[in-house]
Amino acid sequence: MTCVRFAPSPTGNIHIGNARTAFFNFLFAKKNGGSFVLRFDDTDLERSREEYAQGIDTDLRWMGIAPDLIVRQSQRFALYDAAAQKLKGMGRLYPCYETADELDRRRKRQIARGAPPVYDRAALQLTDDDRAALEVQGRKAHWRFKLEERTMHWKDLVRGESRIEAGSLSDPVLIREDGTYLYTLPSVVDDIDLKITHVIRGEDHVTNTAVQIQLFEVLAGAAPIFGHHNLLTTASGEGLSKRSGALSIASLREAGIEPLAIAALATLTGSSDAVHPVASLEELGAAFDLSHVSRGAARFDEAELTTLSARTLHALPFATIAPRLTEAGVTGAKAESFWLAVRGNLEAFIDVRLWWHVVDQVVDPIIEDADFCNAALALLPQEPLDLQTWSHWTSAIKEQTGRKGKTLFHPLRLALTGRESGPELAQLLPLIGRPKAAARLSGRSS
Ligand code: GLU
């Protein structure tokens, strides 16, 4: 069965670029009837924080991504220790004692000679006595994975045939000298243990893939399928960072951006499908295909989010929005016609409160011309008011007063809503109802 994972480290708030990876995985799982694992890469105990993990969980759920399983690497060290033991036993994980300074100097010398700055495997030449002597000096080993020098091939779901010469890479450090794990090994061990079938992640991990395929082969015999997508950047081409907090999902939520707008923008930017508003993740999933993701840049304009968010709201069906309307206090028999009346006018969902106030609460009317409003009141039809009432009523007023266009409609809007502009009055009038309309036309707050 298809199983994918989204594996953020809880060291900050996730941003829209991280959401791109999350949506790619989630939509891929849905499309293939598979499951979606949320894995917190929290092996760095110092930088990882529980509040960030909780924030990520909240952000994902708010965007409609409910994980089938959540795991934390910090609770799985026994598995990593066992894998490290196995690698040591096979001679594929070897101790090194160079300090960061020594490695740096060595790299500089290599570069000066015009040689690639690849780790020279000097530690493999150490004898047991050498190692013992270094330990006596107080040095502690960090551990490197011995790469096989061969070409690693894989068929990337996004980038197609891919290859990396493992011989051109340094043997990666898997365990630091304080015994903590870097990302590489725990990720592979978990992908094996959780039976991950597809690893879909940003293209900043392409180089890791050569190393990880070798680890998969040693530890499990075979590697999963990989897909590396282009990273979202701002319009000026800058990358996004968890640290800056810019374009974090939490800040977009606070700014009133619709989650489905984030989903559409995060998923469709930088692909052959134009970014467009969607009414559900199912709809987005139907449009989504990893093979449509381009290899070029995935730039997006922050301003686009606001317009896409408004356009998303304008088309959202009542059934989708009903729970949020109830939460906002929009309840009762007229909730659905209210939504259909106002949605096309909303920039942000929060504005529903304002229009619900206009149709359901007390409004102070603005009376520009009392005589005109009284004449209109006299012509206001009896209940029930419906979607046709407005045109019949205003035709009658036009006939009697000779007014037309703005001079006819604008004073009625000011009196009925207390506002200069807003949704169509033909739709608002039946929602306001005759008693309130009549009171407002005669200048009373109602
Ligand atoms: N924790 C890694 C990251 O956030 C996960 C990479 C991966 O998906 O393998 O970049």
Side-chain angles (χ1 to χ4, degrees):
M1 191 180 83
T2 300
C3 187
V4 298
R5 85 298 195 278
F6 172 56
S9 45
T11 53
N13 291 317
I14 50 167
H15 53 60
I16 189 162
N18 305 124
R20 178 176 180 79
T21 311
F23 277 115
F24 279 3
N25 277 285
F26 181 72
L27 296 175
F28 186 85
K30 290 290 146 214
K31 210 168 189 144
N32 294 288
S35 55
F36 173 94
V37 176
L38 169 59
R39 185 183 86 200
F40 287 117
D41 283 4
D42 56 354
T43 51
D44 184 341
L45 300 173
E46 249 160 54
R47 288 179 54 228
S48 301
R49 294 229 214 103
E50 180 53 28
E51 71 209 61
Y52 288 130
Q54 274 173 21
I56 291 169
D57 190 44
T58 304
D59 290 346
L60 290 178
R61 286 175 202 276
W62 176 70
M63 293 188 294
I65 298 179
D68 297 297
L69 177 70
I70 302 180
V71 298
R72 288 163 196 267
Q73 292 197 318
S74 56
Q75 295 170 355
R76 301 166 60 83
F77 284 116
L79 284 174
Y80 315 145
D81 293 345
Q85 262 340 95
K86 181 170 174 182
L87 292 172
K88 285 178 190 173
M90 299 168 81
R92 294 292 298 272
L93 192 59
Y94 62 96
C96 304
Y97 294 86
E98 295 91 346
T99 63
D101 265 355
E102 284 165 359
L103 290 171
D104 198 43
R105 265 182 302 198
R106 221 180 270 177
R107 260 195 304 269
K108 284 187 180 134
R109 280 200 303 273
Q110 286 171 313
I111 293 169
R113 268 194 280 123
V118 173
Y119 179 62
D120 61 5
R121 294 182 162 168
L124 281 177
Q125 310 307 322
L126 297 175
T127 62
D128 286 349
D129 288 347
D130 294 336
R131 279 193 286 271
L134 286 161
E135 304 246 352
V136 167
Q137 282 175 27
R139 294 221 190 181
K140 285 216 162 64
H142 55 272
W143 296 78
R144 287 188 191 259
F145 176 55
K146 190 167 170 221
L147 287 171
E148 285 175 353
E149 294 174 23
R150 56 191 167 97
T151 313
M152 306 311 296
H153 294 269
W154 73 96
K155 196 164 163 27
D156 196 284
L157 290 175
V158 180
R159 299 158 63 94
E161 279 308 331
S162 304
R163 51 187 288 167
I164 290 184
E165 295 300 335
S168 68
L169 305 174
S170 292
D171 287 343
V173 176
L174 301 190
I175 307 176
R176 297 186 188 91
E177 61 174 31
D178 63 1
T180 58
Y181 289 97
L182 281 106
Y183 144 82
T184 313
L185 179 66
S187 182
V188 170
V189 170
D190 285 336
D191 289 342
I192 294 168
D193 183 60
L194 299 166
K195 302 192 170 47
I196 300 300
T197 56
H198 297 77
V199 171
I200 301 166
R201 58 188 178 187
E203 62 189 10
D204 48 336
H205 287 287
V206 166
T207 319
N208 289 336
T209 301
V211 171
Q212 291 188 336
I213 290 176
Q214 288 203 11
L215 277 170
F216 277 112
E217 287 176 355
V218 180
L219 296 172
I225 295 168
F226 290 91
H228 294 91
H229 63 77
N230 50 6
L231 303 180
L232 274 191
T233 68
T234 63
S236 56
E238 269 166 77
L240 307 173
S241 127
K242 260 196 212 156
R243 270 176 224 171
S244 74
L247 291 158
S248 72
I249 301 304
S251 70
L252 297 175
R253 179 169 57 234
E254 271 155 35
I257 301 295
E258 284 299 304
L260 280 172
I262 297 176
L265 195 101
T267 306
L268 300 174
T269 299
S271 79
S272 54
D273 306 305
V275 176
H276 61 272
V278 294
S280 65
L281 289 185
E282 288 71 33
E283 185 188 332
L284 182 61
F288 161 79
D289 197 315
L290 273 180
S291 67
H292 296 178
V293 178
S294 75
R295 293 193 58 172
R299 287 179 190 226
F300 82 102
D301 183 355
E302 208 179 325
E304 225 183 299
L305 259 180
T306 317
T307 33
L308 187 65
S309 182
R311 288 171 62 209
T312 301
L313 278 173
H314 299 173
L316 272 194
F318 175 69
T320 308
I321 206 81
R324 287 167 67 192
L325 286 173
T326 308
E327 221 171 276
V330 176
T331 54
K334 62 186 180 186
E336 179 162 7
S337 34
F338 167 77
W339 173 248
L340 298 178
V342 304
R343 65 178 180 177
N345 234 264
L346 302 176
E347 270 181 28
F349 179 75
I350 190 85
D351 300 344
V352 293
R353 289 179 192 267
L354 187 159
W355 295 111
W356 186 246
H357 188 91
V358 166
V359 304
D360 201 61
Q361 310 286 313
V362 177
V363 163
D364 299 328
I366 300 172
I367 304 293
E368 276 189 335
D369 178 340
D371 289 345
F372 173 73
C373 286
N374 280 329
L377 172 58
L379 293 167
L380 183 64
Q382 294 305 315
E383 297 273 18
L385 307 188
D386 59 25
L387 291 173
Q388 276 68 52
T389 305
W390 173 255
S391 84
H392 293 149
W393 180 41
T394 50
S395 301
I397 305 172
K398 180 177 173 185
E399 202 162 296
Q400 195 178 93
T401 63
R403 291 198 189 198
K404 55 184 181 181
K406 195 172 177 206
T407 56
L408 168 66
F409 299 120
H410 197 58
L412 296 175
R413 179 176 288 283
L414 290 174
L416 292 171
T417 69
R419 310 204 141 250
E420 291 281 344
S421 60
E424 291 206 12
L425 284 163
Q427 301 204 49
L428 287 185
L429 183 60
L431 294 164
I432 292 170
R434 196 176 195 285
K436 278 189 188 299
R440 291 175 190 176
L441 286 166
S442 47
R444 276 182 287 121
S445 298
S446 173

